[in-house]
Amino acid sequence: MDNIVLKLSSHTLVLLLFLSFEPVVSSRHRQYWGHGKKLMSSGDNSDLVTGLPGQPQVDFQHYAGYVTVNETNGRSLFYWFYEAMTKAEEKPLVLWLNGGPGCSSVGYGATQEIGPFLVDSDGQGLKFNNFSWNREANMLFLESPVGVGFSYSNTTSDYEQLGDDFTANDAYNFLHNWFLKFPSYRTKTFYIAGESYAGKYVPELAELILDRNKDMSLHIDLKGILLGNPETSDAEDWMGLVDYAWSHAVISDETHQTVKKSCDFNSSDPWHNEDCSQAVDEVLKQYKEIDIYSLYTSTCFASTANSNGQSVQTSMKRSSTMMPRMMGGYDPCLDDYAKTFYNRPDVQKALHASDGHNLKNWSICNNNIFNNWGDSKPSVIPIYKKLISAGLKIWVYSGDTDGRVPVLSTRYSLSSLALPVTKPWRPWYHDNEVSGWFEEYQGLTFATFRGAGHAVPCFKPSNSLAFFSSFLLGESPPSTK
């Protein structure tokens, strides 16, 4: 997931997001795939993953390795790609991005949320995810920018330039060079999806593709974007965070009233107001007592080291960096297990991240990237307008128990678009139960997931797969039982 660190330094709050979580599939839902499927077998065979420790038997191919995005600087991004479980040649390609900035899409999205293999609780193996999104699409996970996960640059100055634009350009170059490895996917229908701070990554990359598609030799068949609990617009995100904390009894009436009275989140520096700064400090202080990413689940109290080498308890008290975890048997300490798994020599060798001897130091989030992030657009709402005008499909969803990018933040941000409603607010169903509510606008669909935290697929794996399927099919989520 992405780690979110809430910084208030010299009363300058940086609204950047991480996220993480671990989907765990009960044993009665696990299944291992047999034989006889038609495979595309169109990838770079040198990147084909074989002998991955603890991997369940499956009947699709998957690839991992590096794509160079800048030859001069020696800048390379790491990816993990899973062909669709069935009829891969007929299904679209979806790029998934986690945010941070600084967190791994491999460590979170691929092996805690929506990929076919989930890191097991001992950090030594993998379990099959019966609700993997590669049931419906060919799934590509990217560790971006350099410094995240296994991605790297041989030029140290690259790490001093990291920001939104840098990341979008490298991701764009990655795609074109990846298509050289996988030419049969170049003309496929393409979507971009992501969570949290990827709420900025995804539309920014989509805009770049849209602009450069004017050169038909560079054309990518982008059809839409899918965003979960996304950071969208700083002012609205902060207002939503505070209002949500108050409406869910995390903060007092007095703190809420002080924020409403003294904070102008639309100003370039709302923190110059001391009353505002202290009130927001109080909001963050109260959230450190629980899991801001999942209001109603437990936090990790293990004494084992987390991904930053600190004890988990210390990290929780100091910066609330641990991500939300799941109800119903989910382990709130899964980040530790991911670190154990991806730092194994045999795992790195199988994923072509190292030769098995000269190990890479993999961490699920890189706090140096987060703390030194260069440019962050205050709002991507103007990009939404541009993408809507271009006819791209945009779906946004919110787990309604997330306090970090709460449903109110997203509703406030989207309301600024002032889009005409085409189908009014109503429940959507999965397995004959209300899964959430949704509304359709001219150019955009917004939906909630009832009882889900920041990384929705971890809380609602079956529901999120059904929702993803509706998105790809261009159908409304089921509005009847």
Side-chain angles (χ1 to χ4, degrees), residues 335-356:
D335 288 4
D336 295 341
Y337 312 145
K339 179 181 178 182
T340 298
F341 184 75
Y342 286 112
N343 280 298
R344 287 175 51 177
D346 52 355
V347 170
Q348 292 193 9
K349 185 175 182 180
L351 294 176
H352 314 115
S354 75
D355 59 10

Side-chain angles (χ1 to χ4, degrees), residues 288-291 297-306 310-317 322-323 325 330-334 336-337:
K288 287 180 182 179
E289 299 296 319
I290 59 174
D291 188 342
T297 57
S298 63
T299 57
C300 178
F301 294 106
S303 60
T304 53
N306 70 5
Q310 302 166 318
S311 76
V312 172
Q313 262 184 310
T314 301
S315 177
M316 282 296 300
K317 291 177 181 176
M322 288 298 291
M323 287 307 103
R325 304 304 176 184
Y330 286 97
D331 184 345
C333 302
L334 192 67
D336 295 341
Y337 312 145

Side-chain angles (χ1 to χ4, degrees), residues 411-432:
R411 295 178 89 168
Y412 292 168
S413 294
L414 297 182
S415 68
S416 68
L417 287 166
L419 297 172
V421 174
T422 58
K423 292 185 180 178
W425 187 261
R426 60 203 184 281
W428 70 279
Y429 295 87
H430 181 68
D431 289 343
N432 292 319

Side-chain angles (χ1 to χ4, degrees), residues 359-378:
L359 296 182
K360 300 287 180 64
N361 182 17
W362 186 92
S363 62
I364 200 158
C365 291
N366 184 332
N367 279 343
N368 288 331
I369 290 178
F370 174 79
N371 291 325
N372 298 302
W373 196 248
D375 74 285
S376 176
K377 289 182 175 58

Side-chain angles (χ1 to χ4, degrees), residues 8-219:
L8 184 58
S9 174
S10 300
H11 303 124
T12 300
L13 282 161
V14 180
L15 186 63
L16 302 175
L17 310 175
F18 300 177
L19 54 96
S20 98
F21 306 95
E22 73 278 7
V24 174
V25 181
S26 67
S27 58
R28 70 178 182 272
H29 289 309
R30 294 178 201 154
Q31 63 186 67
Y32 303 126
W33 294 87
H35 307 283
K37 280 191 331 90
K38 179 181 178 183
L39 301 175
M40 288 194 73
S41 301
S42 60
D44 184 337
N45 285 333
S46 66
D47 285 355
L48 181 66
V49 177
T50 59
L52 181 63
Q55 180 196 305
Q57 179 186 349
V58 293
D59 200 23
F60 57 86
Q61 294 187 12
H62 57 111
Y63 303 79
Y66 287 100
V67 170
T68 299
V69 295
N70 186 297
E71 292 277 359
T72 303
N73 289 9
R75 201 159 68 239
S76 295
L77 299 182
F78 182 82
Y79 78 93
W80 196 346
F81 170 61
Y82 307 91
E83 289 186 342
M85 290 185 184
T86 59
K87 299 181 179 178
E89 67 280 0
E90 299 176 12
K91 292 181 176 175
L93 173 65
V94 177
L95 173 68
W96 175 270
L97 301 173
N98 280 94
C103 292
S104 168
S105 300
V106 166
Y108 285 125
T111 48
Q112 292 193 36
E113 300 184 61
I114 60 173
F117 310 129
L118 308 177
V119 175
D120 215 340
S121 59
D122 59 3
Q124 298 303 312
L126 299 166
K127 63 188 78 176
F128 186 78
N129 178 10
N130 199 45
F131 306 108
S132 172
W133 286 14
N134 78 322
R135 285 183 172 275
E136 302 294 340
N138 300 282
M139 295 298 303
L140 176 58
F141 296 85
L142 177 64
E143 293 197 308
S144 173
V146 291
V148 173
F150 292 123
S151 296
Y152 70 92
S153 176
N154 292 328
T155 304
T156 56
S157 60
D158 280 349
Y159 297 104
E160 300 170 2
Q161 302 178 42
L162 300 181
D164 285 11
D165 289 341
F166 187 100
T167 301
N169 277 282
D170 268 9
Y172 180 83
N173 291 335
F174 164 85
L175 284 172
H176 280 288
N177 291 335
W178 186 86
F179 287 134
L180 297 178
K181 286 176 174 276
F182 296 84
S184 64
Y185 287 86
R186 172 168 282 282
T187 58
K188 273 194 170 296
T189 298
F190 180 64
Y191 297 95
I192 315 172
E195 297 172 331
S196 196
Y197 195 79
K200 294 193 174 180
Y201 288 165
V202 172
E204 288 164 353
L205 176 57
E207 179 185 37
L208 192 57
I209 292 173
L210 194 66
D211 289 344
R212 297 191 183 176
N213 271 353
K214 295 169 185 175
D215 181 347
M216 290 305 296
S217 66
L218 299 174
H219 189 268

Side-chain angles (χ1 to χ4, degrees), residues 235-245 403 406-410 412:
E236 285 75 15
D237 288 345
W238 274 113
M239 286 188 284
L241 186 151
V242 171
D243 289 350
Y244 185 91
V407 62
L408 288 183
S409 294
T410 302
Y412 292 168

